[in-house]
Every structure is written in structure tokens, then in C-alpha cells.
Amino acid sequence: MAAAGEQILHTEYSEIMQKSYIDYAMSVIIARALPDVRDGLKPVQRRTLYDMYELGIRYDRPYRKCARIVGDTMGKYHPHGDSSIYGALVVMAQEFKYGMPLVDGHGNFGSIEGDGAAAMRYTEARLQKITQEAYLADLDKNVVDFIPNFDATEKEPSVLPVRVPNILVNGAEGIAVGMATSIPPHNLGEVIDGMIAFMKNPDITTEEMLDIIPGPDFPTGGIVINRDELPAIYESGNGKIRLRGRVEIEPVKGGKERIVITEIPYTMIGANIGKFLNDVYSLVETKKTTDITDISNQSSKEGIRIVIELKKGADAENICNLLYKKTRLEDTFGVNMLAVADGRPETMGIVNIIRHNVRFQFELATRKYTTLLNKEREKQEIQEGLIRACDVIDLIIEILRGSKNVKQAKACLVDGVTDGIKFKSKLSQKTASLLRFTERQATAILEMRLYKLIGLEIEALIREHEETMKNIGFYEKVLGSRAEMAKVLMRELKALKQEFAVPRKTVIENAAEAVYEEKKQDAVPAVLLMDRFGYVKSVDESVYERNREAADAESRFVVSCMSDDRLCLFTDAGRMHLVKMEDVPAGKFRDRGIPADNICNYSSDTENVISVLPLAGIRGKSILFVTKSSMIKRVDGAEFDVAKRTTAATKLADGDSLICAGEAADDDTLVMRSEKNYFLRVAVAEIPEKKKGAIGVRGMRLSAGESLEAAWILRGDESPSVSLNGKEVVLNRLHIGNRDTRGVKR
């Protein structure tokens, strides 16, 4: 029941959810994750820079604690977590992230290798000079709109009056709801030239613009290797830029060479440098190459230097191609030039972005020069009033001496009202009645100090008036002609370029696809060791021989093979997993190895390995399978020479599992033991050969609910034995019986 005066509204729940989600999505898109195309800043960045401007933390003043900046920004403009504000502040100070850093950081602001910045209570910051002069200048000239902050106690700019396309200069990245932006940084000087070219020719094409701005200019340098694809990327705003690090090959004593990486792809900064080093280690461990002897990261404040030492006679160019193909030394930068334009997200090409920025520059200039013109006209009005007042200064003094109050004197100066004012003569009164100063002029006259009547001061006033009239003429000329305004803008842009532009760091070219010619390694004898926990490793045959006793005792499987073999791991689930020996890490005898799960599809959680056989050794031979329910068969080993990493080794009935899989010849015998200690020995020749998809035939007759406990394949004169009830049962002394019989009790 609704209370008196209340009304219950019935609304479809799905409609509420849809509206709420759309409101949330738009809030994230517009007010958090995506930059504005005009200033290229997200709200948190814009608010942080404006707060630093308001606090007076200029480039030529002392640094201030970042905690102060973050706290002030959070309290006044950005009611979110301090970590997001400090994170934005840190990134704007990192020269390896930004093409043109906007904040001058003092202290530990992180490193290119992914080290985080120190806590905000330890670091300090101030604005960069370019930020102050090209991003925050003219805020006092009404060039942008100011809007209330979150609690309407402060005003903040809706957009900063940025003089250059910051969205291109520093790039942008952000993830919104259902969309994301990823814009690479570009060279400031080239972007300014692009703006000037657009002002001269608004119909400029993307190809013509790329003659001026050839592509991205990453702060980490590197090489863009798909120049021919850039026109399509910059036309649509979408695509993939392929990057490579800069590599130098240096000679070393003894006829050796080493590869030195001096610049990395932009996508490698941070933790990916460590991942690159690990990837190179993996190439050596997995024997993709044996030419790399050492790798070291010798990077410092002076720059990147990653050194890869090579064996004597190694083909350095070929190793470089291997690194391009197998590591992030060659990577792609996904471009999605999405930004907020006219209040909505839009994907734009480079010409469209510059168009929006040029239009914004004209808007800024129009508002700036309109404000300046109005101020100059106010000055003109006051100056003309003061000059005119100097000509009749005796009369004005007479009016002031004869007036009872300021209001009476001002009324006489503005409207010629002489009532109540004592004059020396009727002529003075008549002349005073003809005065018609404006309100602003009258106020200035009444506030004028006597020293202004000195002759030199009057001359200075006249010169100042002439300068004011000159400024008014210039401002009216700029505001009256778009071409004149464009000249002014181009002149200012050229001055910014001259002061702040830096040489290009990234090379733009076309490069051929990296082709790595893998040298065929000579196969050598090796031994695979697999322990009871499923860890595998490979050791040289000589190492195994020296440690045979320990290896046999500690390993569940010991398999002799060649280093280029493939191994078949048969599991109790009836599956076979192929493992390349080259994927098994080679090491010392006491090395732990790696889980088999890491190099094949085997899962130790759902199956257990019961046998490991080299594929080369079973071609042309038979593999004997025995299941728990006593189903047996032989399968031609050639059936397991497949390309798939995992295949069904045998078909199993529901609830059944594989207990034995091994190579078997016609003159071998198979011994089966049941749970009730019945033994049956049969000749392998009596076991039919079937396809791997068949279940097989019954090997031993079992009683109800009984299953096989174990199975052994006996070869030649082997005489294994098992202990049973305190007695030894020698398996090769068992009578050879017929298949599908009960066997003998022991």
C-alpha cells in the first residue's frame, strides 16, 4: 500500500536496465576514458594540469609535492580515487611514454623497464614550459567555457586552450564501454607543419598530409616497417603499424659478433622488456637456436642497450630474423583513432583530426582577440576621456572644488548637471553644462592623480592612446579576415615549433618479411627422464651413464632416443600425446625439468602416463595394449605417426582404463595378473592385430567384478619376478596358456 500522497510507478525492468547501462556507458566514454579531439586530454589529465596552473606550479618556480597536487585535484575537480590522478600525473611526466611530456617530474617516476613510480608523498612535480605556453596560456582571456565542478563550488575549463594537436603529439590510449582508443604519438614539428599545410589548403588529402607527417614518432624510437600501409591506416583511423627495434651488430674479439639492441618497439616498454629477455632464454632452452651464448640488459639512463652474445661463426642477420619472428623485437601497434568530437565518440583519420584542431584554433583566436579588442576599446574610451580632461583641467578642478560630493561632480561630468555646484563665473557654469563624459571616463577622471598633469605624463598618455588605437586596428583586422587570422596562427605555430620541436626518432620504411633459416641440427643420442610428479628433462647419454643408478631409482620413465625424436606418451585414458624432444629442456642431471603439461596436451589432473615410447622406434613394429577389463590387442606402430599432438590410442569401454602399452614382437609373451592373484601367460603371436579405434579381444577370463591388477611384456631371456604373499613368482617360468582362459592361482 502506498502512503498518502505517494504514487507507485510501474516500469518495465528491462527498460530501466537499458537506460541505466546507456547512462553509465556514456559517462565512461565522455567523462573518463576517451580524450577530447580538441585538447587531446582525458578529464583527469585536464583537471590535473589546470589544478597545477591554479596552484601556480609553473616551470620557472620550485617543484611541489605530488601529494599536494593530487589532493587538491581530487578535492576540487576530480572526485575519484587518488591512484587514478597520480597515475595520470606520472604518465604525463614519463618521457618514454609521451612524445612531449607535459609535467616536469622530480624524483622516481618509474622506468622504461616497468618499475613503478615512488609514492606521491616522495615525488615532486611542476609544469613543463610547453604546457604552460601552449596548453594553458590565455585562460584569462575567455578563450574557453568554464563549467561548475562536481559540487558547484569551483569552476573548471571544459577544454584546455591547447595550441597544437596534442592528441597526435602525445597519442592516447583508453578503454571505454564497447570501444577503445589507441593513437600513436607523432613529432611535434611535423604536426605543426601539417596544421599549417591544412590552413593553406583545407582540401589536402591523406597522401599529401603523409608527405608532411610521414607516420608516428615514438619516444622509444624504433623502425616502422610497413610504410606502404600507412595511407590506408591514416585515412580510416584503423589498422596495425608494424614496429621493430633498432639492432646493431658489433664485432667482438676472437672473430665473434654480438647483437646490440639500442631502441625497442614502443609496445615493449614496461614488463615486456623482461618478457623479451625470457623469450630469448626460451629460444635457447628449447634449442630453437644454439648460436646465442649469453644475453644481458645493460640499459641505463643514457638509453636502451640489450646485448646478445653469439658463438663464433654464427649468422647474426639470421639470428636477428629469428628474434623478429619469435619475440617482441618486432611487434604491432593497433591503431584506433577514436576521440570525442562535438560531444560524441568518433573514429577519425589524420586529416579530420587536424581539421577539428584547426577549427578549434580559430575559435580560440576569435574569442581571444574579441576579448582583447573589448579591453582595448575600454582603454581607448578612458584614454580619450583623460586626454580631453587635460584640455579642460581648470574647469574640472573648479567643478570638483565647487561640488558637495562625488556624486554631484560625476553628474556634472557625465550629464552636465550644474545645480548645487559653485562656479567662479557664469561662463564656467555654461561650459560645464556642455560636458558629456561617459560613466567610465568620469570615473577615471575622478580617480586621476595630480601627477598625471605633468607634461611628460600627458605625452605618455597620448603615446599610450596611439598604441591602443594601433592594437584596435590590428585586432579588428584579424577578426575581420579569416586569412589574416590564419597568418597570425601560422606565425604563432612556427614560433612554437622553433622553440619546442625535436628531431624525429622513429624511422619510417618498408622492410621485407623476416625469414629465419633454421639450421638443421645433427641428431645426437639423448635420454628422457620423467619423475613420478610428471616433470620431464633431457640429458646427454654420457650424463645418464655416469648417473645411471640414481636416474633409474628416481625416474618413473627412462627413455633412450635421439635429440630429434618425437615421443609417444600413452595415458590410462587411452590417449597418446606427442612430445618433441627439442621441446624438452636439456640440462644438468640435478635440474628439476618442467611439467609435461607445459609441452603437450597432457593433463596430470585427469590422466596418468603409463608408458613413454620413441616414435622412431615403433615404426614398423606392434604396440600391445592391455586394459583393466582384460581387453587386449596389437596395433601397427605406423598408426601413431600423426601430426596431431593428441590422438586416441585405443578405444575404451565405459569405466575401463589402459594399464599397459608397449612394443611387442611375435616371440614375446604377455603376463596378466588379476586382482585375485590369477596369472595368465600368453604368446604375443596369439594376440590379434587391430586398428587403434578397436576395443580388442578378451585376454584373460575374469570373475564378476574382477579386473586386471597388472600386465608385463616379457622379451627374450628376461626373468622378472614379483613378490606375492612372501613368495617370489618368476614370470617367465609360468606355463604359456591360451588366451581367454582363467589362468593359474598363485
Side-chain angles (χ1 to χ4, degrees), residues 52 55-69 89 93 102-109 120-129:
M52 294 177 72
L55 290 174
I57 312 175
R58 312 299 168 84
Y59 76 93
D60 52 355
R61 296 184 185 177
Y63 295 94
R64 297 283 287 276
K65 283 288 186 184
C66 290
R68 170 66 193 278
I69 299 169
L89 180 67
L102 305 180
V103 172
D104 180 7
H106 184 237
N108 176 14
F109 274 76
M120 67 181 82
R121 61 183 178 272
Y122 300 121
T123 54
E124 299 175 332
R126 63 184 178 188
L127 293 171
Q128 290 276 13
K129 186 177 182 181

Side-chain angles (χ1 to χ4, degrees), residues 86-353:
Y86 186 50
L89 180 67
V90 166
V91 170
M92 288 191 290
Q94 291 177 331
E95 58 185 16
F96 53 85
K97 281 271 188 78
Y98 263 36
M100 190 63 61
L102 305 180
V103 172
D104 180 7
H106 184 237
N108 176 14
F109 274 76
S111 73
I112 194 172
E113 296 180 24
D115 301 316
M120 67 181 82
R121 61 183 178 272
Y122 300 121
T123 54
E124 299 175 332
R126 63 184 178 188
L127 293 171
Q128 290 276 13
K129 186 177 182 181
I130 186 174
T131 313
Q132 191 171 317
E133 296 187 2
Y135 287 66
L136 295 162
D138 299 332
L139 275 172
D140 58 341
K141 297 182 177 62
N142 190 35
V143 290
V144 294
D145 294 330
F146 278 74
I147 57 177
N149 69 337
F150 61 91
D151 60 0
T153 59
E154 302 278 349
K155 293 282 189 179
E156 62 175 307
S158 60
V159 63
L160 291 187
V162 178
R163 307 302 307 277
V164 294
N166 178 62
I167 198 167
L168 290 177
V169 173
N170 282 323
E173 59 181 22
I175 301 174
V177 178
M179 58 186 69
T181 185
S182 179
I183 304 173
H186 296 77
N187 185 270
L188 174 66
E190 295 172 356
V191 170
I192 288 176
D193 290 339
M195 288 185 72
I196 294 173
F198 183 87
M199 290 182 189
K200 293 179 179 178
N201 176 22
D203 297 321
I204 190 170
T205 64
T206 301
E207 287 78 7
E208 292 170 336
M209 185 62 74
L210 289 183
D211 290 337
I212 303 166
I213 309 174
D217 186 23
F218 296 102
T220 56
I223 304 169
V224 171
I225 61 171
N226 58 334
R227 182 176 61 191
D228 288 347
E229 297 176 16
L230 296 184
I233 294 173
Y234 279 100
E235 176 69 29
S236 64
N238 281 294
K240 290 184 178 180
I241 294 174
R242 291 170 56 204
L243 294 167
R244 281 183 186 171
R246 185 178 296 278
V247 175
E248 298 175 0
I249 298 173
E250 297 180 354
V252 189
K253 291 180 180 179
K256 298 180 181 179
E257 290 182 321
R258 64 185 173 197
I259 297 171
V260 180
I261 300 167
T262 57
E263 294 177 5
I264 59 173
Y266 186 66
T267 52
M268 197 194 284
I269 58 177
N272 286 325
I273 293 181
K275 187 178 185 306
F276 168 75
L277 298 176
N278 287 332
D279 288 343
V280 177
Y281 294 143
S282 296
L283 291 176
V284 176
E285 284 184 354
T286 57
K287 301 179 183 177
K288 295 290 184 185
T289 177
T290 58
D291 291 331
I292 296 177
T293 59
D294 188 31
I295 179 170
S296 58
N297 186 0
Q298 302 175 9
S299 304
S300 63
K301 290 181 179 180
E302 282 67 42
I304 292 291
R305 182 177 172 85
I306 299 173
V307 179
I308 300 173
E309 304 286 350
L310 303 179
K311 285 182 179 178
K312 186 174 182 179
D315 186 344
E317 293 289 345
N318 199 37
I319 299 300
C320 288
N321 287 337
L322 174 66
L323 297 177
Y324 291 144
K325 290 186 72 68
K326 299 293 184 180
T327 72
R328 299 191 77 157
L329 190 58
E330 179 179 319
D331 207 355
T332 57
F333 182 96
V335 176
N336 186 25
M337 299 168 77
L338 178 71
V340 177
D342 300 324
R344 62 186 182 87
E346 181 182 346
T347 301
M348 295 167 279
I350 190 170
V351 174
N352 204 11
I353 288 177

Side-chain angles (χ1 to χ4, degrees), residues 613-667:
L613 301 173
L615 182 60
I618 64 175
R619 292 190 182 99
K621 297 181 180 178
S622 293
I623 305 299
L624 177 60
F625 292 96
V626 182
T627 73
K628 198 169 184 179
S629 64
S630 185
M631 302 305 294
I632 62 175
K633 66 175 181 181
R634 286 193 295 166
V635 178
D636 186 354
E639 289 198 39
F640 300 104
D641 191 356
V642 293
K644 291 174 65 177
R645 296 179 65 186
T646 299
T647 186
T650 184
K651 186 175 181 180
L652 295 175
D654 292 341
D656 202 0
S657 61
L658 196 63
I659 64 171
C660 178
E663 178 188 332
D666 286 346
D667 55 353

Side-chain angles (χ1 to χ4, degrees), residues 361-417:
Q361 296 309 311
F362 276 100
E363 290 174 3
L364 293 177
T366 300
R367 294 181 64 162
K368 172 184 174 181
Y369 288 112
T370 299
T371 301
L372 291 175
L373 178 61
N374 291 336
K375 287 184 178 179
E376 291 297 314
R377 282 176 173 166
E378 289 177 9
K379 287 170 62 178
Q380 175 196 3
E381 180 182 344
I382 293 170
Q383 289 165 354
E384 289 177 349
L386 292 176
I387 292 171
R388 182 182 161 203
C390 289
D391 294 337
V392 290
I393 192 63
D394 294 335
L395 176 61
I396 291 174
I397 292 173
E398 190 175 339
I399 293 170
L400 295 176
R401 296 185 66 182
S403 299
K404 296 177 182 178
N405 50 51
V406 174
K407 183 178 180 182
Q408 196 176 48
K410 192 171 184 179
C412 180
L413 292 174
V414 175
D415 299 317
V417 179

